[in-house]
Amino acid sequence: MPLGFLFGGLFFALLAIAALTSAISILEVPVAFAMHKWNWSRVKASVILSSVCFIVGIPAALSIGGPLGGFTPGGKSIFDWFDYTTAYILMPLGGLIVTIFTGYAWKLAGEEAALTSFWYKAWMFLLRIIVPILIVLIFLYSVGIIKF
């Protein structure tokens, strides 16, 4: 490819910028919480919380072929435990909480979705009964309690 070195370098520079902006957006929620809850400044909250994330991430990074590569509690590396916990436990539980909140606590959800009466009733039936059951089944399957 003509000028491949230029496009390759540009690609990786843009990839680094995308990763940085994604990390900033992920950190925004805990920063806003710390600012509201403890009256921290944005700079203080950003520095403290990004430092905590960095320190917590060190063992995970070192467990993939690094000095902690041989440390495998339960047969998994630290990185694998982080991956398992987020993908198989926290995501289904988060989905269940959002579904229950939307189905039972958020009274104006159907109005904001601009649903007609029929579609609102169908949506509420799904959110209140069908979807929580399916999410619980997904959770139980993902942690190995039930098998199909």
Side-chain angles (χ1 to χ4, degrees):
M1 173 179 194
L3 301 175
F5 65 93
L6 179 66
F7 288 112
L10 184 62
F11 170 78
F12 285 109
L14 292 173
L15 183 66
I17 292 170
L20 180 64
T21 57
S22 295
I24 290 169
S25 70
I26 290 171
L27 194 61
E28 179 58 30
V29 173
V31 166
F33 175 79
M35 289 171 56
H36 176 74
K37 180 79 173 174
W38 300 304
N39 294 322
W40 288 356
S41 69
R42 179 170 293 278
V43 172
K44 179 179 179 179
S46 298
V47 168
I48 290 174
L49 292 172
S50 60
S51 298
V52 168
C53 289
F54 180 77
I55 291 168
V56 168
I58 289 174
L62 295 178
S63 70
I64 304 294
L68 297 177
F71 181 65
T72 55
K76 296 181 182 187
S77 68
I78 298 170
F79 180 85
D80 290 335
W81 276 112
F82 280 180
D83 177 53
Y84 177 82
T85 304
T86 56
Y88 294 105
I89 297 173
L90 296 178
M91 287 182 70
L93 290 180
L96 183 63
I97 290 168
V98 168
T99 301
I100 290 171
F101 172 76
T102 305
Y104 290 99
W106 189 12
K107 300 299 181 194
L108 301 176
E111 195 175 299
E112 289 191 26
L115 298 173
T116 62
S117 177
F118 170 77
W119 288 112
Y120 176 75
K121 289 177 184 175
W123 188 46
M124 281 297 141
F125 174 74
L126 289 171
L127 280 177
R128 291 179 176 173
I129 296 169
I130 303 299
V131 174
I133 290 170
L134 293 175
I135 291 175
V136 168
L137 287 174
I138 289 170
F139 173 73
L140 294 175
Y141 177 77
S142 67
V143 296
I145 294 175
I146 61 172
K147 301 205 186 304
F148 293 108

